[in-house]
Amino acid sequence: MFDLGVVRGVFCRMFGLTACILLVAVVAGPRLACGQSVVAVIPQPREMVVEEGNFVLDRATAIVAEGEAVAEADMLAECLAPALGYRLKVVEGHEARDGAVLLLLEKEGSELGAEGYRLEVTPKRIVIRAAQPAGLFYGGQTLRQLLPPAVCESRRVEGVRWLVPCVRIADRPRLAWRGLLLDPARHFLPMDYIKKVIAVMAAHKLNSLQLHLTDDQGWRIEIKKYPKLTELGSWRSETIVERSRDNVPQFDGKRHGGYYSQADIRELVEFARRYHVNLLPEIEMPGHAGAALAAYPELGCFPDRPEPVWTRWGVNPNIFNPSDRTIAFLQDVLGEVMDLFPSKFIHIGGDEAIKDYWQKCPEVQRRIGQLGLKDEAELQSWFIRQMDRFLAEHGRRLVGWDEILQGGLAPGATVMSWHGTEGGIEAAQAGHDVVMAPTTHTYFDYCQGPREKEPKAGGGFLPLERVYGLEPIPPALSGTQRRHVLGAQGQLWGEYIPTTQQADYMLWPRAAALAEVVWSDRSPRDYAGFLRRLGVHRARLDAMSVGYRPWE
């Protein structure tokens, strides 16, 4: 048996630090020497050198911090406390001391940006340095992954020696927008589950959670000025579950619904803030409006023919009439949404707006003529610009799916590109910011294996390896244009996901693969190495009670 420590020392002296890092990853990973802890961090840090020895974390360990760093020290102590069975003491200060974890903000001259960090573990102490509190938080999440996986348990774990391997890590994200989408509009999701997703996201350094709060099948957010949105729009009489051989729809006969009160939303926003996760609200318009129009049919094209909250999947042709009354209504809604969500971005949907009702509606056709527009596509663009202007006046930015490109893009709009990456490329080339969300790599409601062996799902086939193969920045973009790609996002549409257990199954481990795509450097990207680390990471997911899909 060769001495890895000696080999590593000789190799580093001969070939330098970068080669040494590769040696650690290839030869050592994940276990460096007998008795040392497994080192398998997801997402992969930008630079990591593993050295001999361990830091022992125990009751005597204190977390030292001051100023803005104290909140992150408290958060780290809170994350560790359930498994340890005790809470580490947080001590005010800024100097390293033996037997302590020091969180240090160094705002001047840091090349690590708002979310990067440096983590150094020696047998005597642990030091996490960052320019901003978010960096300290992510350094703390990496520290959790250096500890035995049982540290992720929500209850006290007996008989574990809490060893942290000695490492030097310099890390920062590749992309700023690292997101997931949950869809409580189709099947309502309880508050506790959303909180769980936020906590598990943060452990993977994902930082944006889009909540699809409205659709044809349900309205999920309390709007005080328009109470019928939740009184009527948040419930449907039943749900389609399948179709018979002769294509006749079969329904479950059960009432479905629920909504989040404004107090619920404030609670979720505060919970997410502590985990450095931005909650992005989505209020669909002008299409996917069935639940809102069931509550307020006068906002539709044919108010004399009201329709109930939709009980099917697919795309409902019922659509908002873009009248002055409707625009005022929707801007009232967005006003209350902005009061609840501090997010710089507000998502207005804009996708799959079938124009059949607009084509048949005399009032809509008169409006097209009055505005001097060419067709319904230009009318949608005009409508989106009204929302873009309204949000901009309130210091917010509009986000929409890539259909908002049709008829011309509103000046301040950010495009979420789901029809492949083409819409994102077009928007970035025109100087607009982009979030990549292509169906080919990020639709987590798609099957993960042969359809006959998987739970019922929408769409196509999306295995783990394909998610890991996503490249969010297309080569077609120039250097300047590439800066408009904010990041990427995974979508969990809820039509065929009636339980939180199935939501976990569809999200993980694919969301872990996406986390590495958006955080870690593009090169080297090593799927086999990711799978090896994921093998260790499995125990962490188990400890966090994540009901992931098993992988080979």
Side-chain angles (χ1 to χ4, degrees), residues 182-191 194 211-223 229-236 238-239 255-262 264-265 268 282-283 291-292 309-310 313 337 340-341 494:
L182 291 179
D183 174 14
R186 271 53 178 266
H187 283 101
F188 185 71
L189 294 169
M191 292 269 289
I194 296 177
L211 296 177
H212 185 74
L213 293 168
T214 71
D215 213 298
D216 296 316
Q217 296 83 10
W219 184 282
R220 303 294 179 223
I221 180 172
E222 178 189 21
I223 301 298
L229 286 170
T230 47
E231 290 171 4
L232 301 177
S234 68
W235 294 93
R236 60 180 182 267
E238 58 185 354
T239 293
R255 192 166 179 251
H256 291 259
Y259 67 91
Y260 308 109
S261 69
Q262 294 201 356
D264 291 336
I265 295 295
L268 285 175
E282 182 184 7
I283 307 297
V309 178
W310 231 32
W313 311 132
V337 168
L340 296 169
F341 290 90

Tab-separated table of all heavy atoms in Angstrom, residues 182-191 194 211-223 229-236 238-239 255-262 264-265 268 282-283 291-292 309-310 313 337 340-341 494:
chain	number	residue	atom	x	y	z
A	182	LEU	N	-41.829	24.774	-8.356
A	182	LEU	CA	-42.877	23.904	-7.827
A	182	LEU	C	-44.220	24.406	-8.326
A	182	LEU	O	-44.432	25.612	-8.488
A	182	LEU	CB	-42.865	23.891	-6.300
A	182	LEU	CG	-41.684	23.217	-5.610
A	182	LEU	CD1	-41.831	23.322	-4.093
A	182	LEU	CD2	-41.529	21.764	-6.033
A	183	ASP	N	-45.151	23.463	-8.521
A	183	ASP	CA	-46.445	23.771	-9.129
A	183	ASP	C	-47.583	23.375	-8.181
A	183	ASP	O	-48.198	22.324	-8.346
A	183	ASP	CB	-46.558	23.014	-10.456
A	183	ASP	CG	-47.918	23.150	-11.113
A	183	ASP	OD1	-48.694	24.026	-10.693
A	183	ASP	OD2	-48.205	22.369	-12.044
A	184	PRO	N	-47.898	24.218	-7.190
A	184	PRO	CA	-49.040	23.904	-6.333
A	184	PRO	C	-50.383	24.228	-6.972
A	184	PRO	O	-51.430	23.934	-6.380
A	184	PRO	CB	-48.799	24.796	-5.103
A	184	PRO	CG	-48.020	25.954	-5.630
A	184	PRO	CD	-47.169	25.413	-6.742
A	185	ALA	N	-50.388	24.840	-8.165
A	185	ALA	CA	-51.651	25.173	-8.818
A	185	ALA	C	-52.387	23.913	-9.259
A	185	ALA	O	-53.622	23.854	-9.204
A	185	ALA	CB	-51.408	26.088	-10.022
A	186	ARG	N	-51.645	22.899	-9.715
A	186	ARG	CA	-52.281	21.670	-10.185
A	186	ARG	C	-52.624	20.739	-9.019
A	186	ARG	O	-53.738	20.231	-8.925
A	186	ARG	CB	-51.364	20.961	-11.173
A	186	ARG	CG	-51.523	21.372	-12.636
A	186	ARG	CD	-51.413	22.883	-12.872
A	186	ARG	NE	-51.524	23.224	-14.272
A	186	ARG	CZ	-50.489	23.383	-15.084
A	186	ARG	NH1	-49.250	23.251	-14.630
A	186	ARG	NH2	-50.681	23.695	-16.348
A	187	HIS	N	-51.659	20.493	-8.131
A	187	HIS	CA	-51.928	19.769	-6.894
A	187	HIS	C	-51.329	20.583	-5.753
A	187	HIS	O	-50.119	20.821	-5.730
A	187	HIS	CB	-51.326	18.365	-6.921
A	187	HIS	CG	-52.118	17.388	-7.735
A	187	HIS	ND1	-51.759	17.017	-9.014
A	187	HIS	CD2	-53.262	16.726	-7.463
A	187	HIS	CE1	-52.647	16.148	-9.493
A	187	HIS	NE2	-53.570	15.952	-8.561
A	188	PHE	N	-52.185	20.998	-4.825
A	188	PHE	CA	-51.767	21.879	-3.747
A	188	PHE	C	-50.672	21.218	-2.908
A	188	PHE	O	-50.740	20.029	-2.587
A	188	PHE	CB	-52.962	22.218	-2.866
A	188	PHE	CG	-52.653	23.220	-1.799
A	188	PHE	CD1	-52.430	24.548	-2.116
A	188	PHE	CD2	-52.588	22.832	-0.466
A	188	PHE	CE1	-52.155	25.477	-1.135
A	188	PHE	CE2	-52.314	23.760	0.527
A	188	PHE	CZ	-52.092	25.076	0.192
A	189	LEU	N	-49.656	22.002	-2.556
A	189	LEU	CA	-48.534	21.509	-1.765
A	189	LEU	C	-48.571	22.143	-0.380
A	189	LEU	O	-48.675	23.365	-0.260
A	189	LEU	CB	-47.204	21.859	-2.445
A	189	LEU	CG	-46.945	21.175	-3.787
A	189	LEU	CD1	-45.736	21.803	-4.482
A	189	LEU	CD2	-46.734	19.684	-3.600
A	190	PRO	N	-48.480	21.346	0.680
A	190	PRO	CA	-48.524	21.912	2.032
A	190	PRO	C	-47.295	22.760	2.334
A	190	PRO	O	-46.219	22.571	1.770
A	190	PRO	CB	-48.603	20.680	2.938
A	190	PRO	CG	-48.071	19.555	2.120
A	190	PRO	CD	-48.404	19.868	0.699
A	191	MET	N	-47.474	23.665	3.273
A	191	MET	CA	-46.389	24.573	3.667
A	191	MET	C	-45.146	23.805	4.099
A	191	MET	O	-44.026	24.169	3.738
A	191	MET	CB	-46.865	25.451	4.819
A	191	MET	CG	-47.929	26.448	4.465
A	191	MET	SD	-47.200	28.010	3.970
A	191	MET	CE	-46.565	28.602	5.546
A	194	ILE	N	-43.046	22.657	1.180
A	194	ILE	CA	-42.303	23.737	0.517
A	194	ILE	C	-41.086	24.116	1.354
A	194	ILE	O	-39.982	24.337	0.829
A	194	ILE	CB	-43.214	24.938	0.252
A	194	ILE	CG1	-44.321	24.551	-0.737
A	194	ILE	CG2	-42.409	26.120	-0.301
A	194	ILE	CD1	-45.317	25.660	-1.007
A	211	LEU	N	-42.710	29.658	-7.516
A	211	LEU	CA	-43.986	29.071	-7.111
A	211	LEU	C	-45.025	29.408	-8.172
A	211	LEU	O	-45.377	30.580	-8.355
A	211	LEU	CB	-44.412	29.608	-5.748
A	211	LEU	CG	-43.498	29.240	-4.569
A	211	LEU	CD1	-43.990	29.899	-3.288
A	211	LEU	CD2	-43.408	27.724	-4.395
A	212	HIS	N	-45.494	28.375	-8.864
A	212	HIS	CA	-46.503	28.528	-9.913
A	212	HIS	C	-47.866	28.591	-9.208
A	212	HIS	O	-48.507	27.574	-8.966
A	212	HIS	CB	-46.405	27.339	-10.865
A	212	HIS	CG	-47.313	27.424	-12.056
A	212	HIS	ND1	-47.077	28.266	-13.117
A	212	HIS	CD2	-48.458	26.761	-12.352
A	212	HIS	CE1	-48.032	28.112	-14.019
A	212	HIS	NE2	-48.886	27.212	-13.577
A	213	LEU	N	-48.290	29.792	-8.864
A	213	LEU	CA	-49.394	29.989	-7.923
A	213	LEU	C	-50.768	30.026	-8.569
A	213	LEU	O	-51.776	29.926	-7.859
A	213	LEU	CB	-49.171	31.288	-7.140
A	213	LEU	CG	-47.971	31.273	-6.180
A	213	LEU	CD1	-47.669	32.677	-5.688
A	213	LEU	CD2	-48.229	30.329	-5.012
A	214	THR	N	-50.849	30.181	-9.882
A	214	THR	CA	-52.155	30.279	-10.536
A	214	THR	C	-52.130	29.514	-11.849
A	214	THR	O	-51.118	29.464	-12.543
A	214	THR	CB	-52.532	31.744	-10.821
A	214	THR	OG1	-51.718	32.274	-11.875
A	214	THR	CG2	-52.343	32.612	-9.579
A	215	ASP	N	-53.284	28.930	-12.165
A	215	ASP	CA	-53.423	28.244	-13.451
A	215	ASP	C	-54.903	27.961	-13.675
A	215	ASP	O	-55.753	28.403	-12.901
A	215	ASP	CB	-52.596	26.959	-13.494
A	215	ASP	CG	-52.060	26.686	-14.898
A	215	ASP	OD1	-52.884	26.498	-15.819
A	215	ASP	OD2	-50.833	26.668	-15.090
A	216	ASP	N	-55.214	27.199	-14.730
A	216	ASP	CA	-56.604	26.851	-15.016
A	216	ASP	C	-57.213	26.008	-13.901
A	216	ASP	O	-58.417	26.054	-13.680
A	216	ASP	CB	-56.678	26.080	-16.339
A	216	ASP	CG	-56.233	26.910	-17.526
A	216	ASP	OD1	-56.647	28.082	-17.609
A	216	ASP	OD2	-55.462	26.398	-18.361
A	217	GLN	N	-56.394	25.241	-13.204
A	217	GLN	CA	-56.897	24.259	-12.235
A	217	GLN	C	-56.907	24.769	-10.792
A	217	GLN	O	-57.317	24.029	-9.895
A	217	GLN	CB	-56.055	22.984	-12.316
A	217	GLN	CG	-56.149	22.261	-13.648
A	217	GLN	CD	-55.218	22.838	-14.711
A	217	GLN	OE1	-54.365	23.675	-14.410
A	217	GLN	NE2	-55.389	22.388	-15.953
A	218	GLY	N	-56.436	25.986	-10.545
A	218	GLY	CA	-56.481	26.475	-9.178
A	218	GLY	C	-55.752	27.793	-8.993
A	218	GLY	O	-54.744	28.065	-9.658
A	219	TRP	N	-56.277	28.616	-8.089
A	219	TRP	CA	-55.658	29.890	-7.693
A	219	TRP	C	-55.203	29.721	-6.251
A	219	TRP	O	-56.015	29.426	-5.370
A	219	TRP	CB	-56.650	31.031	-7.829
A	219	TRP	CG	-56.044	32.375	-7.528
A	219	TRP	CD1	-55.784	32.896	-6.296
A	219	TRP	CD2	-55.610	33.351	-8.481
A	219	TRP	NE1	-55.205	34.146	-6.418
A	219	TRP	CE2	-55.091	34.449	-7.752
A	219	TRP	CE3	-55.617	33.416	-9.874
A	219	TRP	CZ2	-54.590	35.596	-8.360
A	219	TRP	CZ3	-55.119	34.555	-10.481
A	219	TRP	CH2	-54.613	35.631	-9.740
A	220	ARG	N	-53.922	29.905	-5.970
A	220	ARG	CA	-53.363	29.463	-4.699
A	220	ARG	C	-52.876	30.573	-3.772
A	220	ARG	O	-52.246	30.269	-2.766
A	220	ARG	CB	-52.187	28.512	-4.968
A	220	ARG	CG	-52.535	27.306	-5.799
A	220	ARG	CD	-53.484	26.389	-5.076
A	220	ARG	NE	-53.835	25.236	-5.893
A	220	ARG	CZ	-55.053	24.749	-6.001
A	220	ARG	NH1	-56.049	25.310	-5.338
A	220	ARG	NH2	-55.292	23.699	-6.765
A	221	ILE	N	-53.143	31.826	-4.056
A	221	ILE	CA	-52.647	32.898	-3.204
A	221	ILE	C	-53.786	33.846	-2.850
A	221	ILE	O	-54.555	34.271	-3.724
A	221	ILE	CB	-51.481	33.665	-3.874
A	221	ILE	CG1	-50.980	34.792	-2.964
A	221	ILE	CG2	-51.864	34.180	-5.253
A	221	ILE	CD1	-49.702	35.458	-3.468
A	222	GLU	N	-53.898	34.190	-1.571
A	222	GLU	CA	-54.926	35.108	-1.113
A	222	GLU	C	-54.656	36.523	-1.639
A	222	GLU	O	-53.566	37.056	-1.464
A	222	GLU	CB	-54.954	35.143	0.417
A	222	GLU	CG	-55.973	36.119	0.991
A	222	GLU	CD	-55.852	36.295	2.483
A	222	GLU	OE1	-54.770	36.002	3.052
A	222	GLU	OE2	-56.842	36.730	3.098
A	223	ILE	N	-55.668	37.099	-2.283
A	223	ILE	CA	-55.634	38.500	-2.714
A	223	ILE	C	-56.802	39.183	-2.027
A	223	ILE	O	-57.967	38.912	-2.320
A	223	ILE	CB	-55.747	38.625	-4.249
A	223	ILE	CG1	-54.601	37.862	-4.940
A	223	ILE	CG2	-55.759	40.095	-4.661
A	223	ILE	CD1	-53.216	38.369	-4.627
A	229	LEU	N	-61.198	34.979	-5.653
A	229	LEU	CA	-60.115	34.205	-6.264
A	229	LEU	C	-59.808	32.954	-5.460
A	229	LEU	O	-59.510	31.889	-6.030
A	229	LEU	CB	-58.853	35.066	-6.390
A	229	LEU	CG	-58.881	36.129	-7.482
A	229	LEU	CD1	-57.690	37.068	-7.355
A	229	LEU	CD2	-58.924	35.490	-8.874
A	230	THR	N	-59.872	33.061	-4.135
A	230	THR	CA	-59.637	31.877	-3.301
A	230	THR	C	-60.943	31.215	-2.869
A	230	THR	O	-60.992	29.994	-2.715
A	230	THR	CB	-58.788	32.237	-2.072
A	230	THR	OG1	-59.309	33.420	-1.461
A	230	THR	CG2	-57.355	32.488	-2.479
A	231	GLU	N	-62.017	32.002	-2.687
A	231	GLU	CA	-63.291	31.394	-2.308
A	231	GLU	C	-63.799	30.444	-3.386
A	231	GLU	O	-64.315	29.356	-3.083
A	231	GLU	CB	-64.329	32.487	-2.057
A	231	GLU	CG	-64.063	33.315	-0.802
A	231	GLU	CD	-64.986	34.522	-0.712
A	231	GLU	OE1	-65.871	34.659	-1.593
A	231	GLU	OE2	-64.812	35.335	0.220
A	232	LEU	N	-63.652	30.847	-4.643
A	232	LEU	CA	-64.145	30.035	-5.764
A	232	LEU	C	-63.012	29.440	-6.599
A	232	LEU	O	-63.090	28.288	-7.025
A	232	LEU	CB	-65.054	30.883	-6.661
A	232	LEU	CG	-66.287	31.501	-5.996
A	232	LEU	CD1	-67.041	32.373	-7.006
A	232	LEU	CD2	-67.206	30.417	-5.446
A	233	GLY	N	-61.992	30.237	-6.843
A	233	GLY	CA	-60.954	29.811	-7.781
A	233	GLY	C	-59.959	28.811	-7.240
A	233	GLY	O	-59.197	28.217	-8.013
A	234	SER	N	-59.932	28.590	-5.925
A	234	SER	CA	-58.930	27.674	-5.370
A	234	SER	C	-59.419	26.237	-5.275
A	234	SER	O	-58.681	25.364	-4.807
A	234	SER	CB	-58.493	28.155	-3.976
A	234	SER	OG	-59.545	28.031	-3.048
A	235	TRP	N	-60.652	25.970	-5.711
A	235	TRP	CA	-61.201	24.616	-5.620
A	235	TRP	C	-61.745	24.150	-6.970
A	235	TRP	O	-62.373	24.921	-7.693
A	235	TRP	CB	-62.325	24.572	-4.587
A	235	TRP	CG	-61.815	24.819	-3.203
A	235	TRP	CD1	-61.746	26.014	-2.549
A	235	TRP	CD2	-61.267	23.842	-2.324
A	235	TRP	NE1	-61.184	25.856	-1.306
A	235	TRP	CE2	-60.886	24.523	-1.135
A	235	TRP	CE3	-61.056	22.464	-2.409
A	235	TRP	CZ2	-60.309	23.865	-0.054
A	235	TRP	CZ3	-60.487	21.803	-1.333
A	235	TRP	CH2	-60.119	22.505	-0.156
A	236	ARG	N	-61.493	22.890	-7.278
A	236	ARG	CA	-62.117	22.261	-8.447
A	236	ARG	C	-62.886	21.027	-7.981
A	236	ARG	O	-62.541	20.408	-6.970
A	236	ARG	CB	-61.087	21.902	-9.520
A	236	ARG	CG	-59.999	20.938	-9.096
A	236	ARG	CD	-59.045	20.664	-10.268
A	236	ARG	NE	-58.003	19.691	-9.922
A	236	ARG	CZ	-56.794	19.998	-9.466
A	236	ARG	NH1	-56.463	21.279	-9.301
A	236	ARG	NH2	-55.922	19.050	-9.180
A	238	GLU	N	-63.280	18.005	-9.233
A	238	GLU	CA	-62.646	16.696	-9.395
A	238	GLU	C	-61.434	16.858	-10.294
A	238	GLU	O	-61.140	17.955	-10.773
A	238	GLU	CB	-63.628	15.677	-9.990
A	238	GLU	CG	-64.195	16.082	-11.334
A	238	GLU	CD	-65.239	15.127	-11.851
A	238	GLU	OE1	-65.453	14.068	-11.222
A	238	GLU	OE2	-65.863	15.423	-12.890
A	239	THR	N	-60.735	15.775	-10.544
A	239	THR	CA	-59.522	15.828	-11.358
A	239	THR	C	-59.477	14.640	-12.309
A	239	THR	O	-59.757	13.497	-11.902
A	239	THR	CB	-58.270	15.808	-10.460
A	239	THR	OG1	-58.222	17.023	-9.710
A	239	THR	CG2	-56.999	15.681	-11.271
A	255	ARG	N	-63.012	16.437	-4.584
A	255	ARG	CA	-62.774	17.882	-4.616
A	255	ARG	C	-61.316	18.158	-4.266
A	255	ARG	O	-60.775	17.586	-3.323
A	255	ARG	CB	-63.702	18.566	-3.618
A	255	ARG	CG	-63.781	20.076	-3.746
A	255	ARG	CD	-64.977	20.591	-2.948
A	255	ARG	NE	-65.088	22.044	-3.031
A	255	ARG	CZ	-64.834	22.875	-2.025
A	255	ARG	NH1	-64.453	22.387	-0.844
A	255	ARG	NH2	-64.966	24.185	-2.179
A	256	HIS	N	-60.681	19.040	-5.026
A	256	HIS	CA	-59.272	19.378	-4.818
A	256	HIS	C	-59.133	20.879	-4.616
A	256	HIS	O	-59.802	21.661	-5.282
A	256	HIS	CB	-58.423	18.979	-6.032
A	256	HIS	CG	-58.295	17.511	-6.225
A	256	HIS	ND1	-57.185	16.805	-5.851
A	256	HIS	CD2	-59.161	16.605	-6.762
A	256	HIS	CE1	-57.353	15.532	-6.149
A	256	HIS	NE2	-58.536	15.381	-6.711
A	257	GLY	N	-58.208	21.275	-3.730
A	257	GLY	CA	-57.970	22.705	-3.593
A	257	GLY	C	-57.135	23.082	-2.393
A	257	GLY	O	-56.510	22.236	-1.744
A	258	GLY	N	-57.165	24.372	-2.104
A	258	GLY	CA	-56.370	24.949	-1.037
A	258	GLY	C	-55.690	26.211	-1.528
A	258	GLY	O	-55.596	26.460	-2.732
A	259	TYR	N	-55.224	27.020	-0.580
A	259	TYR	CA	-54.493	28.220	-0.968
A	259	TYR	C	-53.625	28.656	0.205
A	259	TYR	O	-53.779	28.196	1.344
A	259	TYR	CB	-55.448	29.340	-1.390
A	259	TYR	CG	-56.302	29.908	-0.276
A	259	TYR	CD1	-55.872	31.002	0.488
A	259	TYR	CD2	-57.564	29.361	0.012
A	259	TYR	CE1	-56.657	31.530	1.506
A	259	TYR	CE2	-58.350	29.884	1.027
A	259	TYR	CZ	-57.891	30.962	1.767
A	259	TYR	OH	-58.655	31.477	2.777
A	260	TYR	N	-52.694	29.563	-0.106
A	260	TYR	CA	-51.815	30.126	0.913
A	260	TYR	C	-52.340	31.506	1.295
A	260	TYR	O	-52.545	32.365	0.434
A	260	TYR	CB	-50.380	30.246	0.385
A	260	TYR	CG	-49.864	28.942	-0.196
A	260	TYR	CD1	-49.676	28.798	-1.575
A	260	TYR	CD2	-49.599	27.847	0.617
A	260	TYR	CE1	-49.226	27.611	-2.113
A	260	TYR	CE2	-49.149	26.645	0.086
A	260	TYR	CZ	-48.974	26.531	-1.285
A	260	TYR	OH	-48.534	25.339	-1.818
A	261	SER	N	-52.577	31.692	2.584
A	261	SER	CA	-52.972	33.012	3.054
A	261	SER	C	-51.777	33.962	2.933
A	261	SER	O	-50.635	33.535	2.744
A	261	SER	CB	-53.434	32.948	4.506
A	261	SER	OG	-52.322	32.678	5.363
A	262	GLN	N	-52.047	35.236	3.073
A	262	GLN	CA	-50.934	36.186	3.017
A	262	GLN	C	-49.987	35.977	4.195
A	262	GLN	O	-48.770	36.156	4.055
A	262	GLN	CB	-51.466	37.618	2.957
A	262	GLN	CG	-52.226	37.896	1.663
A	262	GLN	CD	-52.341	39.351	1.309
A	262	GLN	OE1	-51.922	40.235	2.058
A	262	GLN	NE2	-52.904	39.634	0.135
A	264	ASP	N	-49.334	33.026	5.422
A	264	ASP	CA	-48.539	31.866	4.987
A	264	ASP	C	-47.393	32.303	4.085
A	264	ASP	O	-46.254	31.853	4.236
A	264	ASP	CB	-49.413	30.866	4.215
A	264	ASP	CG	-50.428	30.157	5.087
A	264	ASP	OD1	-50.202	30.055	6.308
A	264	ASP	OD2	-51.448	29.704	4.527
A	265	ILE	N	-47.696	33.172	3.137
A	265	ILE	CA	-46.664	33.629	2.197
A	265	ILE	C	-45.555	34.360	2.940
A	265	ILE	O	-44.360	34.129	2.690
A	265	ILE	CB	-47.277	34.535	1.112
A	265	ILE	CG1	-48.260	33.742	0.241
A	265	ILE	CG2	-46.175	35.163	0.256
A	265	ILE	CD1	-47.643	32.640	-0.586
A	268	LEU	N	-43.347	31.816	4.563
A	268	LEU	CA	-42.469	31.135	3.602
A	268	LEU	C	-41.330	32.042	3.148
A	268	LEU	O	-40.186	31.600	3.022
A	268	LEU	CB	-43.276	30.677	2.390
A	268	LEU	CG	-44.183	29.461	2.568
A	268	LEU	CD1	-45.007	29.225	1.308
A	268	LEU	CD2	-43.374	28.214	2.909
A	282	GLU	N	-45.252	33.376	-9.457
A	282	GLU	CA	-45.740	33.402	-10.841
A	282	GLU	C	-47.256	33.547	-10.835
A	282	GLU	O	-47.963	32.712	-10.253
A	282	GLU	CB	-45.346	32.135	-11.600
A	282	GLU	CG	-45.816	32.175	-13.052
A	282	GLU	CD	-45.519	30.894	-13.816
A	282	GLU	OE1	-45.061	29.915	-13.191
A	282	GLU	OE2	-45.749	30.872	-15.046
A	283	ILE	N	-47.741	34.607	-11.472
A	283	ILE	CA	-49.171	34.862	-11.670
A	283	ILE	C	-49.415	34.809	-13.170
A	283	ILE	O	-48.990	35.707	-13.903
A	283	ILE	CB	-49.586	36.235	-11.104
A	283	ILE	CG1	-49.152	36.379	-9.637
A	283	ILE	CG2	-51.083	36.438	-11.274
A	283	ILE	CD1	-49.793	35.401	-8.684
A	291	ALA	N	-58.919	29.459	-13.564
A	291	ALA	CA	-59.375	29.563	-12.176
A	291	ALA	C	-59.781	30.992	-11.839
A	291	ALA	O	-60.784	31.214	-11.154
A	291	ALA	CB	-58.274	29.082	-11.230
A	292	ALA	N	-59.021	31.968	-12.315
A	292	ALA	CA	-59.372	33.372	-12.060
A	292	ALA	C	-60.687	33.732	-12.738
A	292	ALA	O	-61.524	34.439	-12.162
A	292	ALA	CB	-58.249	34.278	-12.555
A	309	VAL	N	-63.799	26.086	-12.560
A	309	VAL	CA	-62.369	25.772	-12.484
A	309	VAL	C	-62.130	24.457	-13.214
A	309	VAL	O	-62.848	23.478	-13.011
A	309	VAL	CB	-61.922	25.671	-11.012
A	309	VAL	CG1	-60.447	25.289	-10.935
A	309	VAL	CG2	-62.175	26.986	-10.287
A	310	TRP	N	-61.137	24.461	-14.059
A	310	TRP	CA	-60.906	23.320	-14.952
A	310	TRP	C	-60.541	22.072	-14.175
A	310	TRP	O	-59.746	22.121	-13.218
A	310	TRP	CB	-59.793	23.671	-15.938
A	310	TRP	CG	-60.193	23.398	-17.363
A	310	TRP	CD1	-61.433	23.477	-17.896
A	310	TRP	CD2	-59.323	23.013	-18.423
A	310	TRP	NE1	-61.400	23.181	-19.231
A	310	TRP	CE2	-60.115	22.891	-19.583
A	310	TRP	CE3	-57.956	22.780	-18.521
A	310	TRP	CZ2	-59.587	22.525	-20.813
A	310	TRP	CZ3	-57.423	22.420	-19.752
A	310	TRP	CH2	-58.231	22.285	-20.886
A	313	TRP	N	-56.285	18.405	-17.630
A	313	TRP	CA	-54.965	18.948	-17.926
A	313	TRP	C	-54.969	19.483	-19.355
A	313	TRP	O	-55.994	19.506	-20.017
A	313	TRP	CB	-53.881	17.895	-17.724
A	313	TRP	CG	-53.953	17.168	-16.418
A	313	TRP	CD1	-53.883	15.829	-16.207
A	313	TRP	CD2	-54.093	17.754	-15.110
A	313	TRP	NE1	-53.982	15.533	-14.863
A	313	TRP	CE2	-54.111	16.691	-14.173
A	313	TRP	CE3	-54.228	19.053	-14.632
A	313	TRP	CZ2	-54.241	16.893	-12.798
A	313	TRP	CZ3	-54.359	19.262	-13.269
A	313	TRP	CH2	-54.358	18.203	-12.374
A	337	VAL	N	-49.119	41.076	-4.560
A	337	VAL	CA	-48.033	40.094	-4.659
A	337	VAL	C	-46.693	40.742	-4.317
A	337	VAL	O	-45.878	40.187	-3.574
A	337	VAL	CB	-48.005	39.460	-6.068
A	337	VAL	CG1	-46.718	38.671	-6.294
A	337	VAL	CG2	-49.220	38.557	-6.262
A	340	LEU	N	-45.979	41.142	-0.731
A	340	LEU	CA	-45.667	39.899	-0.023
A	340	LEU	C	-44.289	39.359	-0.367
A	340	LEU	O	-43.600	38.807	0.497
A	340	LEU	CB	-46.722	38.837	-0.362
A	340	LEU	CG	-48.146	39.131	0.097
A	340	LEU	CD1	-49.114	38.133	-0.534
A	340	LEU	CD2	-48.243	39.068	1.609
A	341	PHE	N	-43.892	39.481	-1.623
A	341	PHE	CA	-42.635	38.903	-2.104
A	341	PHE	C	-41.627	40.012	-2.367
A	341	PHE	O	-41.857	40.871	-3.223
A	341	PHE	CB	-42.864	38.135	-3.401
A	341	PHE	CG	-43.655	36.862	-3.250
A	341	PHE	CD1	-45.040	36.880	-3.355
A	341	PHE	CD2	-43.019	35.648	-3.008
A	341	PHE	CE1	-45.780	35.707	-3.237
A	341	PHE	CE2	-43.745	34.482	-2.889
A	341	PHE	CZ	-45.132	34.508	-2.998
A	494	GLY	N	-46.999	19.909	-11.901
A	494	GLY	CA	-47.671	19.034	-10.946
A	494	GLY	C	-48.859	18.244	-11.430
A	494	GLY	O	-49.535	17.624	-10.619
